Amino acid sequence: MARKPAKVKKSYGTCSVDHLSPAADGGWPKAINIVMAFEEAMKLHLALQASLLDINRLNRSTREGKMAAVNLCLHVGANRITVNADKVRP
C-alpha cells in the first residue's frame, strides 16, 4: 500500500499584533480560522489596501506617523470583519 504524502501547511504570510482588545483570557481558543469566499476576501484586501495607503501618506518620522495602525475587528455574531484606523500603544 502506497503511503500518502505528508500534509504540507501553506501560509501566504503572517504578522504580529500590537495588542488585543479586549485582552485575551483563558477562555479564548489558541487559534481562530476565518473562512471567506473569494469576493469577500477581495473586499477585505481592498479595505486593507485603502487603510495602508492612508497610513503610507503620513510622515513616518512624526509621532502620529509612527503610531498609526490598522485595526481588524471581527464581529463574531454578525460574521463580519471591519478595517479601522487605530494607533499602536507606546
Side-chain angles (χ1 to χ4, degrees):
M1 181 187 237
R3 293 179 64 186
K4 291 183 180 179
K7 194 173 191 179
V8 177
K9 288 198 172 199
K10 182 177 178 183
S11 172
Y12 289 100
T14 62
C15 63
S16 61
V17 175
D18 180 64
H19 64 275
L20 298 174
S21 177
D25 60 7
W28 277 37
K30 289 186 180 184
I32 298 174
N33 294 314
I34 300 172
V35 180
M36 61 184 69
F38 175 76
E39 291 81 10
E40 295 303 316
M42 288 300 294
K43 289 179 190 177
L44 178 60
H45 170 77
L46 292 173
L48 277 169
Q49 186 177 24
S51 176
L52 293 172
L53 286 171
D54 284 345
I55 291 174
N56 193 43
R57 288 185 187 108
L58 298 174
N59 185 349
R60 299 289 294 159
S61 65
T62 64
R63 187 170 198 273
E64 180 187 10
K66 290 177 185 175
M67 301 295 286
V70 175
N71 174 8
L72 296 178
C73 183
L74 173 62
H75 299 271
V76 179
N79 290 339
R80 284 269 182 228
I81 298 174
T82 59
V83 179
N84 308 300
D86 207 341
K87 302 216 178 284
V88 294
R89 293 181 180 167

PDB file of all heavy atoms in Angstrom, residues 21 34 44 70-76 79-84:
ATOM      1  N   SER A  21      -7.908  43.734  21.974  1.00  0.00           N
ATOM      2  CA  SER A  21      -8.879  44.449  22.795  1.00  0.00           C
ATOM      3  C   SER A  21     -10.241  43.813  22.591  1.00  0.00           C
ATOM      4  O   SER A  21     -10.728  43.799  21.469  1.00  0.00           O
ATOM      5  CB  SER A  21      -8.905  45.919  22.388  1.00  0.00           C
ATOM      6  OG  SER A  21      -9.874  46.613  23.122  1.00  0.00           O
ATOM      7  N   ILE A  34     -10.648  31.819   9.933  1.00  0.00           N
ATOM      8  CA  ILE A  34     -11.657  32.658   9.295  1.00  0.00           C
ATOM      9  C   ILE A  34     -11.711  32.252   7.827  1.00  0.00           C
ATOM     10  O   ILE A  34     -10.745  32.451   7.095  1.00  0.00           O
ATOM     11  CB  ILE A  34     -11.323  34.152   9.449  1.00  0.00           C
ATOM     12  CG1 ILE A  34     -11.251  34.508  10.935  1.00  0.00           C
ATOM     13  CG2 ILE A  34     -12.335  35.007   8.715  1.00  0.00           C
ATOM     14  CD1 ILE A  34     -10.742  35.901  11.204  1.00  0.00           C
ATOM     15  N   LEU A  44     -11.971  42.485   1.700  1.00  0.00           N
ATOM     16  CA  LEU A  44     -11.036  42.669   2.803  1.00  0.00           C
ATOM     17  C   LEU A  44      -9.710  43.200   2.284  1.00  0.00           C
ATOM     18  O   LEU A  44      -9.114  44.113   2.861  1.00  0.00           O
ATOM     19  CB  LEU A  44     -10.833  41.348   3.558  1.00  0.00           C
ATOM     20  CG  LEU A  44      -9.850  41.379   4.718  1.00  0.00           C
ATOM     21  CD1 LEU A  44     -10.280  42.370   5.786  1.00  0.00           C
ATOM     22  CD2 LEU A  44      -9.698  39.980   5.309  1.00  0.00           C
ATOM     23  N   VAL A  70      -3.500  49.654  11.887  1.00  0.00           N
ATOM     24  CA  VAL A  70      -4.738  49.134  11.315  1.00  0.00           C
ATOM     25  C   VAL A  70      -5.393  48.246  12.363  1.00  0.00           C
ATOM     26  O   VAL A  70      -4.727  47.437  13.002  1.00  0.00           O
ATOM     27  CB  VAL A  70      -4.447  48.312  10.036  1.00  0.00           C
ATOM     28  CG1 VAL A  70      -5.717  47.677   9.505  1.00  0.00           C
ATOM     29  CG2 VAL A  70      -3.811  49.182   8.987  1.00  0.00           C
ATOM     30  N   ASN A  71      -6.685  48.413  12.553  1.00  0.00           N
ATOM     31  CA  ASN A  71      -7.452  47.610  13.495  1.00  0.00           C
ATOM     32  C   ASN A  71      -8.394  46.717  12.694  1.00  0.00           C
ATOM     33  O   ASN A  71      -9.272  47.207  11.995  1.00  0.00           O
ATOM     34  CB  ASN A  71      -8.241  48.533  14.430  1.00  0.00           C
ATOM     35  CG  ASN A  71      -9.175  47.784  15.356  1.00  0.00           C
ATOM     36  OD1 ASN A  71      -9.155  46.566  15.426  1.00  0.00           O
ATOM     37  ND2 ASN A  71     -10.004  48.525  16.055  1.00  0.00           N
ATOM     38  N   LEU A  72      -8.190  45.403  12.772  1.00  0.00           N
ATOM     39  CA  LEU A  72      -9.123  44.444  12.177  1.00  0.00           C
ATOM     40  C   LEU A  72     -10.067  43.999  13.279  1.00  0.00           C
ATOM     41  O   LEU A  72      -9.630  43.411  14.262  1.00  0.00           O
ATOM     42  CB  LEU A  72      -8.381  43.231  11.611  1.00  0.00           C
ATOM     43  CG  LEU A  72      -7.428  43.474  10.469  1.00  0.00           C
ATOM     44  CD1 LEU A  72      -6.750  42.171  10.067  1.00  0.00           C
ATOM     45  CD2 LEU A  72      -8.144  44.067   9.291  1.00  0.00           C
ATOM     46  N   CYS A  73     -11.329  44.290  13.130  1.00  0.00           N
ATOM     47  CA  CYS A  73     -12.317  43.967  14.157  1.00  0.00           C
ATOM     48  C   CYS A  73     -13.227  42.856  13.646  1.00  0.00           C
ATOM     49  O   CYS A  73     -13.914  43.026  12.640  1.00  0.00           O
ATOM     50  CB  CYS A  73     -13.125  45.208  14.511  1.00  0.00           C
ATOM     51  SG  CYS A  73     -14.311  44.927  15.835  1.00  0.00           S
ATOM     52  N   LEU A  74     -13.211  41.723  14.340  1.00  0.00           N
ATOM     53  CA  LEU A  74     -14.045  40.574  13.986  1.00  0.00           C
ATOM     54  C   LEU A  74     -15.317  40.637  14.815  1.00  0.00           C
ATOM     55  O   LEU A  74     -15.274  40.542  16.031  1.00  0.00           O
ATOM     56  CB  LEU A  74     -13.299  39.264  14.244  1.00  0.00           C
ATOM     57  CG  LEU A  74     -14.098  37.980  14.080  1.00  0.00           C
ATOM     58  CD1 LEU A  74     -14.589  37.816  12.648  1.00  0.00           C
ATOM     59  CD2 LEU A  74     -13.259  36.784  14.491  1.00  0.00           C
ATOM     60  N   HIS A  75     -16.453  40.828  14.144  1.00  0.00           N
ATOM     61  CA  HIS A  75     -17.759  40.820  14.810  1.00  0.00           C
ATOM     62  C   HIS A  75     -18.280  39.389  14.727  1.00  0.00           C
ATOM     63  O   HIS A  75     -18.788  38.966  13.687  1.00  0.00           O
ATOM     64  CB  HIS A  75     -18.728  41.794  14.122  1.00  0.00           C
ATOM     65  CG  HIS A  75     -18.250  43.209  14.148  1.00  0.00           C
ATOM     66  ND1 HIS A  75     -18.539  44.068  15.173  1.00  0.00           N
ATOM     67  CD2 HIS A  75     -17.477  43.905  13.278  1.00  0.00           C
ATOM     68  CE1 HIS A  75     -17.987  45.241  14.938  1.00  0.00           C
ATOM     69  NE2 HIS A  75     -17.337  45.166  13.786  1.00  0.00           N
ATOM     70  N   VAL A  76     -18.129  38.653  15.823  1.00  0.00           N
ATOM     71  CA  VAL A  76     -18.423  37.222  15.820  1.00  0.00           C
ATOM     72  C   VAL A  76     -19.893  36.956  15.528  1.00  0.00           C
ATOM     73  O   VAL A  76     -20.225  36.099  14.708  1.00  0.00           O
ATOM     74  CB  VAL A  76     -18.007  36.587  17.166  1.00  0.00           C
ATOM     75  CG1 VAL A  76     -18.336  35.115  17.195  1.00  0.00           C
ATOM     76  CG2 VAL A  76     -16.526  36.808  17.410  1.00  0.00           C
ATOM     77  N   ASN A  79     -20.630  37.737  11.810  1.00  0.00           N
ATOM     78  CA  ASN A  79     -19.706  37.166  10.823  1.00  0.00           C
ATOM     79  C   ASN A  79     -19.143  38.247   9.905  1.00  0.00           C
ATOM     80  O   ASN A  79     -19.174  38.136   8.685  1.00  0.00           O
ATOM     81  CB  ASN A  79     -20.376  36.065   9.999  1.00  0.00           C
ATOM     82  CG  ASN A  79     -20.649  34.829  10.804  1.00  0.00           C
ATOM     83  OD1 ASN A  79     -20.029  34.610  11.837  1.00  0.00           O
ATOM     84  ND2 ASN A  79     -21.573  34.021  10.343  1.00  0.00           N
ATOM     85  N   ARG A  80     -18.635  39.309  10.507  1.00  0.00           N
ATOM     86  CA  ARG A  80     -18.098  40.450   9.762  1.00  0.00           C
ATOM     87  C   ARG A  80     -16.715  40.809  10.277  1.00  0.00           C
ATOM     88  O   ARG A  80     -16.417  40.649  11.458  1.00  0.00           O
ATOM     89  CB  ARG A  80     -18.986  41.686   9.956  1.00  0.00           C
ATOM     90  CG  ARG A  80     -20.255  41.650   9.189  1.00  0.00           C
ATOM     91  CD  ARG A  80     -20.001  42.301   7.863  1.00  0.00           C
ATOM     92  NE  ARG A  80     -21.179  42.350   7.071  1.00  0.00           N
ATOM     93  CZ  ARG A  80     -21.205  41.982   5.806  1.00  0.00           C
ATOM     94  NH1 ARG A  80     -20.133  41.536   5.228  1.00  0.00           N
ATOM     95  NH2 ARG A  80     -22.292  42.066   5.106  1.00  0.00           N
ATOM     96  N   ILE A  81     -15.877  41.309   9.385  1.00  0.00           N
ATOM     97  CA  ILE A  81     -14.585  41.882   9.747  1.00  0.00           C
ATOM     98  C   ILE A  81     -14.599  43.321   9.252  1.00  0.00           C
ATOM     99  O   ILE A  81     -14.910  43.578   8.092  1.00  0.00           O
ATOM    100  CB  ILE A  81     -13.415  41.129   9.093  1.00  0.00           C
ATOM    101  CG1 ILE A  81     -13.381  39.682   9.561  1.00  0.00           C
ATOM    102  CG2 ILE A  81     -12.099  41.835   9.403  1.00  0.00           C
ATOM    103  CD1 ILE A  81     -12.333  38.850   8.852  1.00  0.00           C
ATOM    104  N   THR A  82     -14.287  44.247  10.126  1.00  0.00           N
ATOM    105  CA  THR A  82     -14.177  45.638   9.712  1.00  0.00           C
ATOM    106  C   THR A  82     -12.720  46.066   9.813  1.00  0.00           C
ATOM    107  O   THR A  82     -11.961  45.569  10.655  1.00  0.00           O
ATOM    108  CB  THR A  82     -15.045  46.576  10.580  1.00  0.00           C
ATOM    109  OG1 THR A  82     -14.640  46.479  11.949  1.00  0.00           O
ATOM    110  CG2 THR A  82     -16.510  46.230  10.455  1.00  0.00           C
ATOM    111  N   VAL A  83     -12.324  46.967   8.945  1.00  0.00           N
ATOM    112  CA  VAL A  83     -10.968  47.509   8.930  1.00  0.00           C
ATOM    113  C   VAL A  83     -11.063  48.963   9.359  1.00  0.00           C
ATOM    114  O   VAL A  83     -11.768  49.751   8.734  1.00  0.00           O
ATOM    115  CB  VAL A  83     -10.350  47.393   7.516  1.00  0.00           C
ATOM    116  CG1 VAL A  83      -8.951  47.982   7.492  1.00  0.00           C
ATOM    117  CG2 VAL A  83     -10.332  45.954   7.053  1.00  0.00           C
ATOM    118  N   ASN A  84     -10.380  49.306  10.455  1.00  0.00           N
ATOM    119  CA  ASN A  84     -10.461  50.639  11.030  1.00  0.00           C
ATOM    120  C   ASN A  84      -9.066  51.200  11.259  1.00  0.00           C
ATOM    121  O   ASN A  84      -8.100  50.452  11.420  1.00  0.00           O
ATOM    122  CB  ASN A  84     -11.195  50.578  12.380  1.00  0.00           C
ATOM    123  CG  ASN A  84     -12.515  49.865  12.287  1.00  0.00           C
ATOM    124  OD1 ASN A  84     -13.388  50.280  11.548  1.00  0.00           O
ATOM    125  ND2 ASN A  84     -12.656  48.774  13.012  1.00  0.00           N
TER     126      ASN A  84
END
